[in-house]
Amino acid sequence: MKQARNVRRAVPTMTVGLLGLALSLTACGGGEEEQAGSEGNTTVTIATSNDAPFSFTNEAGELTGIDGEMINWIAEKKGWEIEVFVSDFATLIPAIQTGKADIVVDAMYITDVRKEEVNFTDTWYQQGEGMVVPGDSTMTNRDDARGSVIGVQTGTTFIELAESLEPKEIKYFDSQAALLTAVENKQVDVVFTDAAVVAYSLVQNPNDQIKIVDPYEPFFPGLIGAAVPKENTEILEELNSGLAELKATPEYLEILTKYGLTESNAVD
């Protein structure tokens, strides 16, 4: 799993206001091919924390992953050029609010609290958290974590889960990779994080020092969406129309299964 890096590709960034204007103008054009041609110069900046398997950059600096491949598919249909802005997860929403990026594409749970700050697209897919413990742990369910030292990623909804378990201590980490390292080093007794992240990580790098509690019923069976600034309704409409097109193709499920998810994670 790649660490989040505060870097940015050297491509000029279109501000949120300009992007909204560009999209509103092109939406008045003719057919799909004409719109794609007129939108060809539109640069859309995607904010991500660079954590696999959701939204991360490959060695060439290109966006990939579950969410990454979905936004790439949509961008190709819309004729957008993609630029990537990488930052810690907790700073992704501020990044689009301040114009550093246009869209958050990073397996972000759609929550009422976040809806007060940004607008969300229709649901991309669904997935819940996983419970990760050291390889020799005897924990078998969430209640076993009560009163223990719990690790969570800063800015995630899993903080609420950790607090509900009346822990001895909550330790905060800036990335998924740091969470798993904390489990391996026994800095924490348990962490709660995206189940797909851990599953993908252990496929890529098997490690008997950590394990996923299984079976496990998620506390947050979360719905995933992309986030945009409140004022940019034009790009929200474009994203939703592109997402609907993607879901109507076999490629939608192919993207999910490529990264370890299943048909149960798909949504209409």
Side-chain angles (χ1 to χ4, degrees):
M1 184 184 303
K2 298 185 178 181
Q3 295 276 2
R5 296 174 287 116
N6 291 312
V7 299
R8 190 175 182 180
R9 293 170 61 192
V11 181
T13 303
M14 179 176 290
T15 64
V16 172
L18 288 175
L19 178 57
L21 176 61
L23 289 173
S24 64
L25 289 174
T26 55
C28 297
E32 181 177 345
E33 291 183 3
E34 290 182 25
Q35 290 187 32
S38 62
E39 292 172 357
N41 294 325
T42 300
T43 299
V44 180
T45 303
I46 304 300
T48 172
S49 64
N50 208 30
D51 277 320
F54 300 113
S55 179
F56 63 101
T57 54
N58 59 22
E59 293 181 357
E62 300 164 334
L63 194 64
T64 187
I66 303 169
D67 302 62
E69 289 201 23
M70 288 186 180
I71 190 62
N72 285 339
W73 193 97
I74 294 171
E76 183 176 356
K77 293 296 181 181
K78 300 295 180 181
W80 298 341
E81 295 292 332
I82 292 293
E83 180 182 339
V84 182
F85 176 84
V86 179
S87 190
D88 292 337
F89 189 86
T91 66
L92 296 182
I93 285 179
I96 61 172
Q97 291 175 322
T98 57
K100 293 178 181 177
D102 302 305
I103 313 167
V104 175
V105 179
D106 200 332
M108 183 167 280
Y109 279 26
I110 300 171
T111 67
D112 290 338
V113 172
R114 287 176 177 153
K115 284 180 180 178
E116 294 177 2
E117 300 184 89
V118 296
N119 284 334
F120 279 99
T121 61
D122 296 333
T123 303
W124 288 37
Y125 58 94
Q126 60 186 353
Q127 70 105 30
E129 87 279 355
M131 178 176 174
V132 188
V133 297
D136 59 359
S137 174
T138 59
M139 290 187 184
T140 59
N141 57 65
R142 194 162 46 245
D143 284 339
D144 289 343
R146 292 188 179 278
S148 65
V149 179
I150 301 176
V152 292
Q153 186 176 355
T154 306
T156 66
T157 57
F158 305 127
I159 294 172
E160 179 184 339
L161 168 56
E163 291 173 342
S164 74
L165 295 174
E166 302 176 347
K168 177 180 179 181
E169 181 184 1
I170 297 178
K171 292 187 177 182
Y172 300 90
F173 300 88
D174 290 334
S175 71
Q176 301 278 5
L179 276 178
L180 298 187
T181 298
V183 177
E184 182 177 359
N185 296 337
K186 296 190 175 181
Q187 295 172 257
V188 296
D189 299 313
V190 56
V191 302
F192 293 96
T193 188
D194 294 290
V197 170
V198 183
Y200 180 77
S201 177
L202 292 180
V203 167
Q204 299 297 307
N205 301 288
N207 185 351
D208 59 7
Q209 299 301 306
I210 63 178
K211 64 182 180 182
I212 305 174
V213 173
D214 185 45
Y216 176 80
E217 184 177 347
F219 182 83
F220 287 115
L223 300 178
I224 302 299
V228 301
K230 284 282 190 180
E231 65 273 16
N232 202 338
T233 56
E234 292 88 355
I235 197 170
L236 182 65
E237 293 173 0
E238 292 290 328
L239 285 167
N240 281 335
S241 67
L243 178 63
E245 289 183 54
L246 172 59
K247 288 180 177 179
T249 72
E251 292 169 269
Y252 174 60
L253 186 57
E254 288 171 6
I255 292 172
L256 294 178
T257 56
K258 178 179 178 179
Y259 293 94
L261 299 183
T262 67
E263 192 170 359
S264 65
N265 297 104
V267 295
D268 296 330

